[in-house]
Amino acid sequence: DDDYDDDECDDGFGDDSIHWATSPSFRGGGAAAAAANRQLHLPGLHSGWRRKKKQTNNNNKSRQRRQQQQLDQLQSIKQQKLRQFRKSFREKQRSFQNSLYNLNSKYNPFFPRPPYNLWQMDTEPQIGKTTLTGKLFMLNILIFGLQTWNPQLTSMGAKRSDLLLEGRQLYRLLTPVFLHGGIGHLMANSYSLKSMGLNVERAFGGQRFMATYLVSGIVGNVVSAIQSPNPAVGASGAIFGLVGAYYTFLSRNQDLFGYSGQMQKNSILETIGMNLLLGMTNPMIDNWGHIGGFIGGVGMAYLIGPKLYVAKVPLSEDGNFGVGKVLIDRPTVMFRMPDFLDDGMAWVNDNVKQMGRRIETSVRGLFNGGEEMYLFDRDVNYSK
């Protein structure tokens, strides 16, 4: 009962005919099977992977159940080890941060309590890797193309002060951030976004950068809705928020950046002044949206923006000696996730991945005509 996909090919070798596998399901190397009641020994000839036909007998089903149980058991052991590793790492991390505080609080009474994050400014963007700033840049261009194709999108998403003040269509607090009034408007905002966005993203990190950008745009539209009855679109409020956040970041860490930081702050103030002056002379520019966005960015930088400290690294857990220095980030608002919630999220993530693998295996089985088994044969040495 040969249950492999092997076709016979007689090349005239008589009783010692070699049967080569020519089925499309054959995988790798030359496989040979002996004729019935004959022996064939070809040492060193490898068959590679061969796909076995689906069997429906009870033995095969029970074997598949045993294999699945073994896989589930191995997966359970793996998850248990991962949980133990997470718990051990979390305990060591907290112990290190406590010793860090014990050492540095002796020299600086204003040194903050844990938790901390090690801080380092992200490196320059790599070729082939798109930053969040670049993705926002491309998203603005894409949406402007949709506006050109369907002009009604602009009126559907623009800031409407009358509707917002009545508490209706609150989505208009966010949608204007991604809309623009013309190609010149788009180009000006895209240039400003690329210039300032990369600096803020490198200093704040991706998550805090995105939160600052969106909140600044929303705050800008709130202030504009209160102070100006005119409709408005554009990302300039969110970009002004990035400017305000970066200025606040430099101000809060002035002792670390020194003269270079002061020069950047002066340049930012000049840019803000010129833009506000230009907005006063052009009634088409929503200065209130710019001011509101700037205020939102300053507030986000004070709440979640990087506040940097130079910390001495303790030699041991008692924190008596320092062996080096690190730069830590301790924002004003920083929450430590409860252990049970952290473990729960990790458990959900692991089980979702496992479910995805099972679904992938089932789908592959459906497309391949049912469940399959792959066997690896070494040397061809069959006898019947």
Side-chain angles (χ1 to χ4, degrees):
D1 295 331
D2 189 4
D3 54 4
Y4 296 96
D5 297 332
D6 295 334
D7 295 336
E8 296 183 359
C9 177
D10 189 354
D11 290 334
F13 290 99
D15 293 338
D16 295 328
S17 299
I18 299 178
H19 301 264
W20 298 97
T22 59
S23 171
S25 62
F26 175 73
R27 295 176 177 262
N37 300 323
R38 284 182 169 81
Q39 296 183 353
L40 176 64
H41 181 70
L42 298 177
L45 183 62
H46 296 273
S47 66
W49 288 99
R50 294 191 299 166
R51 185 168 60 185
K52 194 173 183 179
K53 292 180 180 179
K54 180 180 177 181
Q55 298 179 357
T56 58
N57 54 53
N58 295 329
N59 292 335
N60 184 52
K61 291 181 179 180
S62 61
R63 179 170 54 188
Q64 290 178 356
R65 283 194 297 268
R66 289 195 302 268
Q67 290 177 348
Q68 186 62 43
Q69 291 175 356
Q70 292 175 356
L71 291 175
D72 293 341
Q73 185 178 5
L74 290 175
Q75 188 66 26
S76 176
I77 295 174
K78 178 182 177 181
Q79 291 181 359
Q80 183 178 1
K81 290 183 177 180
L82 282 175
R83 286 193 295 268
Q84 294 175 353
F85 172 78
R86 292 191 189 103
K87 182 178 179 181
S88 175
F89 178 79
R90 191 163 51 214
E91 292 175 352
K92 291 181 180 179
Q93 184 183 42
R94 291 177 180 175
S95 176
F96 172 75
Q97 292 189 2
N98 289 330
S99 61
L100 201 69
Y101 172 75
N102 293 333
L103 173 64
N104 289 273
S105 59
K106 297 177 182 179
Y107 305 97
N108 181 8
F110 301 102
F111 194 81
R113 291 184 174 275
Y116 313 118
N117 288 324
L118 293 178
W119 185 88
Q120 61 179 4
M121 183 170 284
D122 293 341
T123 58
E124 293 290 340
Q126 301 177 358
I127 297 177
K129 182 179 179 181
T130 305
T131 60
L132 276 176
T133 302
K135 292 177 181 178
L136 284 174
F137 177 85
M138 293 186 289
L139 179 62
N140 288 336
I141 295 176
L142 174 62
I143 294 179
F144 181 74
L146 295 176
Q147 288 179 252
T148 305
W149 176 66
N150 185 6
Q152 291 184 353
L153 290 176
T154 305
S155 59
M156 292 171 58
K159 184 218 73 174
R160 287 276 304 275
S161 301
D162 54 340
L163 296 176
L164 293 174
L165 293 177
E166 293 174 0
R168 295 187 294 158
Q169 300 184 11
L170 296 181
Y171 64 87
R172 292 179 182 269
L173 291 174
L174 181 61
T175 52
V177 176
F178 303 100
L179 302 175
H180 291 86
I183 186 65
H185 190 201
L186 174 66
M187 292 178 63
N189 281 344
S190 297
Y191 174 79
S192 301
L193 176 62
K194 292 285 286 185
S195 300
M196 183 55 61
L198 289 175
N199 292 331
V200 179
E201 184 177 352
R202 291 176 60 201
F204 282 53
Q207 294 181 350
R208 289 188 286 186
F209 161 78
M210 200 66 197
T212 302
Y213 182 83
L214 296 177
V215 171
S216 299
I218 292 173
V219 174
N221 286 322
V222 169
V223 174
S224 177
I226 296 173
Q227 297 293 334
S228 174
N230 301 323
V233 293
S236 53
I239 296 171
F240 261 80
L242 297 181
V243 174
Y246 195 63
Y247 182 87
T248 305
F249 165 72
L250 295 175
S251 299
R252 298 183 74 197
N253 303 285
Q254 179 66 45
D255 54 337
L256 294 177
F257 294 106
Y259 179 75
S260 173
Q262 186 61 47
M263 293 297 294
Q264 292 186 68
K265 288 168 59 180
N266 294 338
S267 176
I268 290 174
L269 288 176
E270 293 176 0
T271 302
I272 294 173
M274 291 182 61
N275 278 274
L276 291 179
L277 182 62
L278 181 62
M280 293 178 183
T281 60
N282 188 345
M284 298 297 295
I285 297 178
D286 185 8
N287 249 354
W288 288 112
H290 296 172
I291 295 173
F294 184 85
I295 294 173
V298 170
M300 290 295 290
Y302 266 106
L303 290 176
I304 65 172
K307 180 64 176 77
L308 307 180
Y309 299 87
V310 178
K312 295 182 179 180
V313 179
L315 181 62
S316 58
E317 293 185 0
D318 56 8
N320 290 328
F321 302 97
V323 295
K325 294 181 179 180
V326 293
L327 200 59
I328 64 170
D329 173 20
R330 179 60 166 86
T332 304
V333 178
M334 186 173 182
F335 299 100
R336 173 180 283 173
M337 185 177 296
D339 293 347
F340 74 91
L341 186 58
D342 189 19
D343 294 337
M345 293 179 63
W347 180 85
V348 171
N349 183 52
D350 294 340
N351 281 273
V352 167
K353 289 183 179 179
Q354 184 178 1
M355 185 182 300
R357 286 192 293 265
R358 289 184 176 180
I359 293 175
E360 181 183 1
T361 302
S362 300
V363 171
R364 285 183 177 179
L366 290 175
F367 280 103
N368 291 330
E371 297 179 0
E372 294 178 343
M373 223 178 194
Y374 292 93
L375 303 178
F376 185 78
D377 294 336
R378 295 184 179 177
D379 293 341
V380 177
N381 188 3
Y382 298 98
S383 61
K384 284 190 177 181

